[in-house]
Amino acid sequence: MEQVCSWYDVVIEEISVQPDHIRLVCSIPPKYSVSKIVSIVKGNTAVQIFSKQNYLKEKP
């Protein structure tokens, strides 16, 4: 997430990791919308997680 955020000059102010989710408090430059950054971060992190943790792709 830090690498993806750095590509867009987004600063992670605070991060909280829970077993089933992650919370971020970020400073986003005004040239980007919040929804665009959320979409980019979620998309990139999902690809990275699923490529490393194959069992998460399986349906229960």
Side-chain angles (χ1 to χ4, degrees), residues 2 4-12 26-29 32 37 41:
E2 291 173 346
V4 173
C5 287
S6 70
W7 296 340
Y8 294 93
D9 298 325
V10 173
V11 177
I12 298 175
C26 299
S27 295
I28 300 172
Y32 300 115
I37 296 299
V41 170

Side-chain angles (χ1 to χ4, degrees), residues 8-59:
Y8 294 93
D9 298 325
V10 173
V11 177
I12 298 175
E13 303 288 341
E14 185 177 326
I15 188 167
S16 173
V17 179
Q18 303 297 318
D20 60 346
H21 65 278
I22 297 173
R23 289 189 182 143
L24 295 175
V25 177
C26 299
S27 295
I28 300 172
K31 63 183 176 180
Y32 300 115
S33 68
V34 173
S35 61
K36 172 124 177 120
I37 296 299
V38 169
S39 175
I40 290 168
V41 170
K42 284 179 69 174
N44 283 307
T45 55
V47 168
Q48 290 176 8
I49 289 171
F50 288 132
S51 69
K52 293 178 183 174
Q53 306 293 331
N54 288 332
Y55 70 93
L56 293 174
K57 292 180 183 178
E58 299 171 7
K59 298 194 185 224

